[in-house]
């Protein structure tokens, strides 16, 4: 315990500690996400983003060189790359031993990830600013499809996939595309709980359809 009458040393000026800087950057990205989703890229200013977390523009510029850099950070943090991350986060033994269980777990986890408030705001941003064809979005989607195709290649080698259904990329797309469509249609920022429930149910039914039609 500090002795009475002592004071803590003054905080050094300059860059904030690494952990604090990371927290500030994440807070700025989240504030920007909400503003971009509501007002669009053109309608959102650097000042508004900074004020959204009670900071000055100079503090924002310590983390991002421009508004475009903030926008790209938002795309990177909240974009569709989540499906690939979910695949990598699932137990590899599940993929090897129980392909049907893997498909169900994958779709459930992806829908849980996409039904967060931030993920739904991102869908509103995509709709407002027409980001469906943005190169970074397309790259992330392709990465998820190719990552799942690698898993399906293992199922093929083990004789767990029906014959004559196309290559592994085709099958990965066949699983992920309808699931992604439920996100686009249902999981936006203003989605009511009932619509969100429908999205999850549709995605899970599609997972069961995939299991019945593709897996042995």
């Amino acid at each position: 315990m500090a002795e009475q009458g002592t004071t803590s040393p003054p905080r050094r000026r300059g860059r904030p500690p690494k952990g604090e800087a990371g927290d500030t950057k994440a807070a700025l990205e989240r504030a920007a996400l909400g503003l971009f989703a509501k007002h669009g890229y053109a309608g959102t200013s650097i000042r508004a983003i900074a004020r959204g977390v009670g900071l000055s523009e100079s503090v924002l510029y310590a983390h991002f060189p421009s508004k475009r850099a903030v926008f790209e950070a938002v795309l990177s943090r909240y974009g569709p790359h989540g499906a690939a991350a979910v695949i990598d986060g699932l137990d590899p033994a599940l993929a090897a031993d129980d392909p049907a269980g893997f498909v169900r777990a994958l779709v459930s986890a992806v829908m849980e990830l996409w039904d967060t408030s931030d993920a739904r705001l991102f869908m509103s941003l995509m709709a407002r600013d027409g980001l469906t064809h943005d190169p970074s979005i397309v790259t992330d989607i392709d990465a998820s499809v190719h990552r799942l195709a690698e898993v399906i290649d293992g199922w093929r080698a083990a004789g767990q996939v029906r014959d004559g259904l196309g290559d592994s990329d085709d099958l990965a797309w066949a699983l992920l595309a309808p699931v992604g469509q439920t996100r686009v249609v249902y999981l936006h920022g203003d989605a009511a709980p009932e619509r969100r429930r429908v999205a999850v149910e549709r995605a899970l039914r599609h997972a069961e359809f995939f299991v019945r039609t593709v897996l042995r």
Side-chain angles (χ1 to χ4, degrees):
M1 180 180 295
E3 295 179 3
Q4 290 187 354
T6 62
T7 59
S8 57
R11 181 173 174 176
R12 293 192 309 173
R13 296 182 179 276
R15 289 185 176 274
K18 185 175 180 181
E20 182 179 324
D23 291 344
T24 300
K25 190 171 184 178
L28 287 166
E29 290 171 1
R30 193 173 192 282
L33 171 65
L35 290 166
F36 288 144
K38 185 175 182 180
H39 304 294
Y41 177 81
T44 299
S45 68
I46 284 286
R47 176 178 294 182
I49 296 170
R51 287 183 174 177
V53 290
L55 298 174
S56 66
E57 293 176 60
S58 62
V59 173
L60 184 148
Y61 282 120
H63 296 278
F64 300 99
S66 64
K67 185 173 79 169
R68 182 66 197 183
V70 181
F71 187 73
E72 290 175 353
V74 167
L75 295 187
S76 177
R77 180 180 288 268
Y78 298 106
H81 60 278
V86 168
I87 293 169
D88 289 335
L90 293 175
D91 184 357
L94 181 64
D97 300 336
D98 184 8
F102 180 88
V103 169
R104 295 178 182 116
L106 170 62
V107 173
S108 294
V110 166
M111 293 305 293
E112 182 177 353
L113 179 68
W114 287 346
D115 194 23
T116 63
S117 59
D118 286 345
R120 284 186 276 111
L121 277 176
F122 180 79
M123 286 311 305
S124 293
L125 168 59
M126 283 188 66
R128 175 176 286 278
D129 273 37
L131 294 176
T132 305
H133 303 295
D134 186 276
S136 64
I137 302 296
V138 175
T139 297
D140 284 343
I141 292 172
D142 286 345
S144 295
V145 170
H146 295 325
R147 181 66 189 89
L148 180 58
E150 292 174 353
V151 176
I152 295 174
D153 281 339
W155 297 343
R156 282 184 180 281
Q160 296 167 316
V161 175
R162 296 179 187 276
D163 297 328
L165 296 178
D167 63 24
S168 295
D169 265 28
D170 291 337
L171 295 180
W173 182 262
L175 175 59
L176 293 179
V179 175
Q181 185 66 16
T182 62
R183 183 186 190 189
V184 173
V185 173
Y186 295 101
L187 298 181
H188 52 82
D190 297 324
E194 175 62 19
R195 297 288 284 176
R196 292 159 54 196
R197 183 186 63 78
V198 169
V200 173
E201 289 180 352
R202 286 186 181 278
L204 294 178
R205 286 202 302 271
H206 176 65
E208 293 302 325
F209 174 78
F210 185 90
V211 166
R212 292 194 307 271
T213 11
V214 173
L215 301 178
R216 290 187 184 276

